[in-house]
Amino acid sequence: MAVIVWWLLTVVVVAFHSASAAVVESTWEVEYKYWWPDCKEGIVMAINGQFPGPTIDAVAGDTVIIHVVNKLSTEGVVIHWHGIRQKGTPWADGAAGVTQCPINPGETFTYKFIVDKAGTHFYHGHYGMQRSSGLYGMLIVRSPKERLIYDGEFNLLLSDWWHQSIHAQELALSSRPMRWIGEPQSLLINGRGQFNCSQAAYFNKEGEKDLCTFKENDQCAPQTLRVEPNRVYRLRIASTTALASLNLAVEGHQLVVVEADGNYVAPFTVNDIDVYSGETYSVLLKTNALPSKKYWISVGVRGREPKTPQALTVINYVDATESRPSHPPPVTPIWNDTDRSKSFSKKIFAAKGYPKPPEKSHDQLILLNTQNLYEDYTKWSINNVSLSVPVTPYLGSIRYGLKSAYDLKSPAKKLIMDNYDIMKPPPNPNTTKGSGIYNFAFGIVVDVILQNANVLKGVISEIHPWHIHGHDFWVLGYGEGKFKPGIDEKTFNLKNPPLRNTVVLYPFGWTAIRFVTDNPGVWFFHCHIEPHLHMGMGVVFVEGVDRIGKMEIPDEALGCGLTRKWLMNRGRP
């Protein structure tokens, strides 16, 4: 495989945008449909009758135009283009309450933006918990000068699935006391899984699940990957899970990791790969196993005690004589082996030629992640503030100077944590709610230290994959226990840290990132676990306020709350 990926060692980062760039345009109707994602009937949020939604396939520099028609009867909708930085088009980011108003039932909103660099991305709903209902799909941006050599590619969109509706889930999480929604019933690969049966049941003991039998066009039937021997295939992997952290393995094959979150990385070889919610990867797989056999692809749960069976599909060599794989699927590594997970994360470095981070930062945030109570409602908080996104989008409030639309006081940049024991439940479980934002000048360097801690009860610290909108950031490092300012900065990797848009915060530890405020707009930064964000686990960054004040923002993005009133009264004496 070293011959295949030689070029990655000297890759140069280039953003492509030329006069020959194309336009990728489509109209999407979003509506609920009955579906059988895991061989049990449920309700999905479909796009043009498809679940998952259609794949967007573009080339770096192209303009993407998507006309989203909301055909839901009683609720709004938005779509976030996960991994697309939205340079110059922050209103197209698709974050309800942050960059736009929800699209009302029966109305159409047009997203128009440039995909400025190649990479593996995806899109998903970003209003309420609509991602959990299946509003997602792949977004592939190709390089016009791709130098990675391979013979074919497959998309693997990974998700988790509940039988309970998202409306019931939202109500349960917002109840007093909170009713936990439990673990997902199934894992899906490209929207397909199995709940009451198993493809590998012929290896099971008596009394376990029945062997799956599929009819033609069954919506839960796995999509087999048909390959030729002695070829190299690119697997584009994206996780849009609402809760589950995952591990993917291919029986009898190794994987060479070459891309993470749309950025090339120094290639390294693994037997399996951890994928957290919001992350994307490309791996190269060489089909050098026995071509007469079939091989499992297995996806299992990491980071939480697994109560959800593996998702399975099969690699089928074109000349395979086997009717089904002759060995059991790969066993998912034990769920709470965090040292193994950290070892994988620490193998990820930027490919040579990628820009190094600035040596010093101008500002630093230390964001303490805690589980708390607010008037007996269970919340997740950052520096003791549980985020409550306002009705009026921040982008419109700042553009038109509507200072009563959100809390003008910024949350604390850091808390005095000298006496805070992150290894124990908080001594004072109570928190506050707020809608304040962090305001940064344009063009400065900001460090963010994500600090994990114990939850309300027991000795538990959960995994949190954090995702930023509008940016990539450098992952400077990970650490155990409480971050020590002035000391732990000395351990930061400033030589070849990877550029990412999603990073994992491990239990009882910290993660450090650095980014440049070079994209005027208002940007969400939040835990990508859907219930956690629903319960307040996020912050909002605004950068370049003076430049936002000069932006031409489409009125239809801001037709709600105080911006709606402002636009209606515009020009009146």
Side-chain angles (χ1 to χ4, degrees):
M1 295 298 284
V3 176
I4 300 299
V5 297
W6 65 268
W7 69 271
L8 281 171
L9 301 180
T10 55
V11 68
V12 177
V13 183
V14 180
F16 297 97
H17 187 218
S18 68
S20 61
V23 174
V24 178
E25 186 169 7
S26 186
T27 297
W28 290 359
E29 295 184 346
V30 179
E31 60 185 328
Y32 284 113
K33 290 280 190 182
Y34 286 112
W35 212 266
W36 295 71
D38 62 352
C39 302
K40 179 179 173 65
E41 188 179 59
I43 298 174
V44 303
M45 201 169 274
I47 297 175
N48 293 348
Q50 292 180 235
F51 167 76
T55 296
I56 295 176
D57 202 318
V59 176
D62 286 353
T63 296
V64 174
I65 303 174
I66 306 294
H67 310 281
V68 176
V69 183
N70 182 359
K71 298 193 72 175
L72 307 173
S73 300
T74 58
E75 60 188 291
V77 70
V78 298
I79 294 180
H80 169 56
W81 316 96
H82 188 110
I84 305 302
R85 296 179 295 182
Q86 300 294 349
K87 292 271 188 173
T89 52
W91 52 85
D93 187 52
V98 178
T99 59
Q100 72 169 106
C101 300
I103 308 166
N104 287 326
E107 294 186 349
T108 299
F109 181 79
T110 296
Y111 293 97
K112 182 179 180 180
F113 53 90
I114 293 173
V115 287
D116 64 329
K117 70 184 186 73
T120 301
H121 308 292
F122 64 103
Y123 61 85
H124 60 81
H126 214 304
Y127 182 51
M129 292 177 61
Q130 290 177 346
R131 173 159 54 96
S132 295
S133 196
L135 184 54
Y136 44 71
M138 295 292 286
L139 198 172
I140 307 302
V141 183
R142 304 184 185 279
S143 170
K145 299 180 180 180
E146 180 66 81
R147 288 173 288 174
L148 179 59
I149 301 170
Y150 53 93
D151 300 297
E153 67 179 45
F154 298 97
N155 296 336
L156 297 176
L157 180 59
L158 312 179
S159 54
D160 42 14
W161 184 254
W162 280 258
H163 296 161
Q164 187 181 43
S165 74
I166 60 165
H167 305 104
Q169 292 183 48
E170 290 172 348
L171 177 59
L173 295 169
S174 303
S175 294
R176 182 171 56 182
M178 185 263 288
R179 302 183 185 185
W180 179 237
I181 61 174
E183 304 303 307
Q185 277 68 62
S186 301
L187 301 178
L188 309 180
I189 301 175
N190 293 336
R192 295 162 181 259
Q194 297 82 43
F195 172 64
N196 286 322
C197 65
S198 170
Q199 297 178 63
Y202 53 97
F203 296 110
N204 294 344
K205 298 177 182 178
E206 187 176 349
E208 295 188 14
K209 287 188 176 181
D210 293 335
L211 182 66
C212 295
T213 56
F214 302 108
K215 302 173 185 176
E216 187 177 357
N217 298 322
D218 270 359
Q219 293 171 335
C220 61
Q223 293 177 335
T224 298
L225 279 61
R226 294 184 60 82
V227 300
E228 296 182 1
N230 299 312
R231 298 287 189 267
V232 175
Y233 291 88
R234 181 178 189 169
L235 306 184
R236 294 181 181 266
I237 304 165
S239 175
T240 184
T241 56
L243 178 64
S245 303
L246 302 175
N247 177 273
L248 181 145
V250 181
E251 178 196 359
H253 298 76
Q254 290 189 313
L255 307 172
V256 178
V257 182
V258 293
E259 178 205 355
D261 292 354
N263 295 286
Y264 291 111
V265 299
F268 63 99
T269 303
V270 294
N271 293 320
D272 55 78
I273 180 172
D274 285 342
V275 189
Y276 297 94
S277 178
E279 291 187 328
T280 68
Y281 290 94
S282 281
V283 300
L284 298 182
L285 178 146
K286 188 170 184 179
T287 53
N288 54 6
L290 288 174
S292 61
K293 293 183 174 292
K294 296 183 178 181
Y295 301 89
W296 295 109
I297 297 177
S298 66
V299 177
V301 174
R302 298 294 312 282
R304 304 180 66 86
E305 186 173 357
K307 299 178 182 179
T308 310
Q310 287 181 324
L312 299 173
T313 191
V314 171
I315 284 187
N316 186 355
Y317 281 67
V318 292
D319 297 324
T321 56
E322 286 187 331
S323 60
R324 57 193 184 189
S326 56
H327 295 93
V331 176
T332 299
I334 188 169
W335 68 275
N336 57 356
D337 186 354
T338 53
D339 288 340
R340 191 182 195 279
S341 299
K342 292 173 187 176
S343 174
F344 173 78
S345 295
K346 292 176 181 179
K347 292 177 182 176
I348 304 174
F349 299 102
K352 288 184 179 180
Y354 266 73
K356 296 180 180 180
E359 290 189 2
K360 295 182 180 180
S361 63
H362 301 103
D363 207 346
Q364 184 188 73
L365 305 182
I366 301 179
L367 303 182
L368 176 64
N369 294 227
T370 55
Q371 189 183 51
N372 301 93
L373 295 175
Y374 177 77
E375 297 180 352
D376 293 328
Y377 293 97
T378 302
K379 296 290 183 181
W380 286 94
S381 300
I382 305 302
N383 288 355
N384 209 41
V385 178
S386 184
L387 181 65
S388 179
V389 175
V391 173
T392 305
Y394 290 106
L395 185 64
S397 301
I398 293 168
R399 169 64 179 86
Y400 297 116
L402 306 176
K403 296 184 178 181
S404 63
Y406 62 95
D407 298 336
L408 295 181
K409 183 180 178 181
S410 296
K413 290 187 175 181
K414 55 191 74 175
L415 295 180
I416 298 175
M417 296 199 303
D418 294 345
N419 298 319
Y420 191 96
D421 190 346
I422 66 167
M423 309 300 291
K424 296 179 180 179
N428 178 5
N430 296 316
T431 188
T432 59
K433 286 175 63 177
S435 58
I437 57 180
Y438 292 103
N439 191 338
F440 297 117
F442 179 77
I444 68 168
V445 180
V446 178
D447 282 357
V448 180
I449 313 300
L450 295 165
Q451 175 68 64
N452 215 336
N454 204 90
V455 297
L456 275 169
K457 297 178 181 179
V459 183
I460 302 169
S461 182
E462 296 197 15
I463 283 176
H464 302 292
W466 276 78
H467 170 64
I468 195 169
H469 295 218
H471 290 279
D472 288 334
F473 49 64
W474 290 278
V475 181
L476 302 183
Y478 307 87
E480 308 292 331
K482 192 186 297 184
F483 181 79
K484 298 180 288 295
I487 298 175
D488 285 330
E489 288 92 341
K490 297 175 183 177
T491 69
F492 288 175
N493 174 16
L494 302 180
K495 179 183 177 182
N496 57 354
L499 275 170
R500 305 292 302 264
N501 59 58
T502 304
V503 69
V504 60
L505 175 60
Y506 286 108
F508 297 115
W510 56 264
T511 298
I513 66 171
R514 177 170 292 176
F515 73 100
V516 179
T517 59
D518 57 359
N519 193 7
V522 186
W523 307 111
F524 229 155
F525 183 45
H526 61 84
C527 178
H528 209 259
I529 291 176
E530 195 85 309
H532 292 182
L533 176 57
H534 181 74
M535 298 160 72
M537 197 171 199
V539 296
V540 176
F541 298 152
V542 58
E543 55 197 75
V545 168
D546 55 334
R547 301 183 184 216
I548 295 174
K550 300 174 184 177
M551 285 182 176
E552 295 295 327
I553 302 174
D555 289 351
E556 54 268 31
L558 304 175
C560 62
L562 296 181
T563 44
R564 175 178 176 272
K565 295 179 181 179
W566 192 94
L567 293 170
M568 289 177 64
N569 293 324
R570 181 173 52 189
R572 294 182 180 179

